[in-house]
Amino acid sequence: MNRKFYIETYGCQMNVADSELVANILKNKGFELTDDYKQADLVLINTCAVRDKAEQRIIGRLGFFKSAKRVKPTLKVGVLGCMAQRMKQQLLDEQDVVDFVMGPDTYKRLPEILENVENGERQLDVILSKQETYDDIKPFRYNENKISGFVSISRGCNNMCAFCIVPFTRGRERSRDPKSILAEVIDMKNDGYKEVTLLGQNVDKYNWNDGEIKFANLLEMVAKEVPGMRVRFATSYPQDMTDEVLHIIANYENVCKYIHLPVQSGSNAVLETMKRGYTREWYLNRIEAIHRIIPECAISTDMISGFCGETEEDHQQTLDLMRQVKYAYAYMFKYSVRPNTFAARNLPDDVSEEDKSRRLAEIIELQNDLSLESNQKDVGKTFEVLVEGTSKRSEYRLHGRNSQNKVVIFEGDKSLIGSFVDVKIESHTQATLLGKLVSSCVDES
Ligand code: SAH
Ligand code: F3S
């Protein structure tokens, strides 16, 4: 009987993609995936270290698997990803449930590590690589609905934003060979996928062969290669996002009209202490370029409240910028000190917990209004929707997303799952658009 593994993934889309690589490595070693940890011989937790809260949650899960190990003492537990990379040996020292710890660049060594673990040795491998892009590993796409999936185009980040742990946990920025990216996208097409999201911490820094192929070129290559598939990407960086990229988005119907452009703060003083490398004016200029070049584009963002030195006036500037941009959606966080980052080493965490929470609440409240406003504007419009599934409540209620990445709910037959349909929007909530099926489009792929 095959040995079974169970895997939990926390944090970003890149982690989802990484877990799919790990799953393939294990499958090739004769392991079978199970979604029931009780059946598993091996439990893997792919972790996030971006905020303390994310790490606390993982510590909680480790406690849970400690009990599972009491019931099944042969169970092995491995911690992967950013928290593994950040804590290294400390994780083995503090958590006796953990058998091995592996950082994001070491997954190819998994078979060897497991062998040593089987021999009773606890293992640590957290060497970061300047080259590893896992080109030669085909992801085992167990996470996905076989309609929409991820392809990573670059790994690591060189930006060194003052608050961010990612450059420390994921290492130096490196781009993946466009040939292997295209091959993976073509595989997805052949497997019936209808949407691909290209992933990088900063996609705009994609650079193959000293500038021979930049992100705009890559995006165009992918868009041309799979005209029957939607192409998305994340994450864009305000400093590096060029008009050239915007023109590619505008020129190719299958490139989605949606950009996630994290701003973090609306105050120049805070942006400077954050070492973001752009000003509010620069950011607003990028927003203006998006509206000019891609009028139907939706924009979302990330926000941090209560970063070091943030005053009430800075916070007001953030709210003001949000009102100006009118984001369709936002991911909003309270600043959380991450060990070893520039901010942790050099800047006092001087905004009180109370102020951080209140400012975050104000940001969320405003965004809720802006999301409603953005959705209200879509009422009466007809969108092409990629149908992704049925709602939990009724199998006749389908959900999917439009090009702008908004969730659309409407009535239809579940045979439509996986196809593109036109839906006319009749009403909305803060989080979704509600509509009526107009017609099913011809599937050209
Ligand atoms: N470039 C990455 C960013 C990864 S971190 C990407 O692909 O999205 C995701 C978001 O977490 C950041 O944009 C930021 O808003 C938030 N974040 C990062 N470090 C944080 C910290 N120390 N405290 C609070 N939020 C943080
Ligand atoms: Fe983090 Fe800034 Fe890179 S937020 S991932 S250091 S772009």
Side-chain angles (χ1 to χ4, degrees), residues 115-129:
E115 220 164 276
N116 297 341
V117 166
E118 287 303 328
N119 293 332
E121 291 168 38
R122 297 176 86 202
Q123 296 279 295
L124 174 71
D125 190 347
V126 286
I127 295 171
L128 286 173
S129 159

Side-chain angles (χ1 to χ4, degrees), residues 50 156-167 173 201-202 237 262 264 275-276:
V50 155
C157 186
N158 286 357
N159 274 32
M160 291 286 181
C161 301
F163 51 79
C164 186
I165 193 89
V166 172
E173 198 168 78
Q201 299 297 337
N202 175 354
Y237 195 79
Q264 317 297 1
K275 294 180 175 290
R276 289 289 287 181

Side-chain angles (χ1 to χ4, degrees), residues 368-382:
N368 287 347
D369 291 346
L370 295 175
S371 295
L372 265 178
E373 203 180 297
S374 164
N375 287 349
Q376 173 64 38
K377 281 198 188 126
D378 289 336
V379 173
K381 291 185 194 165
T382 298

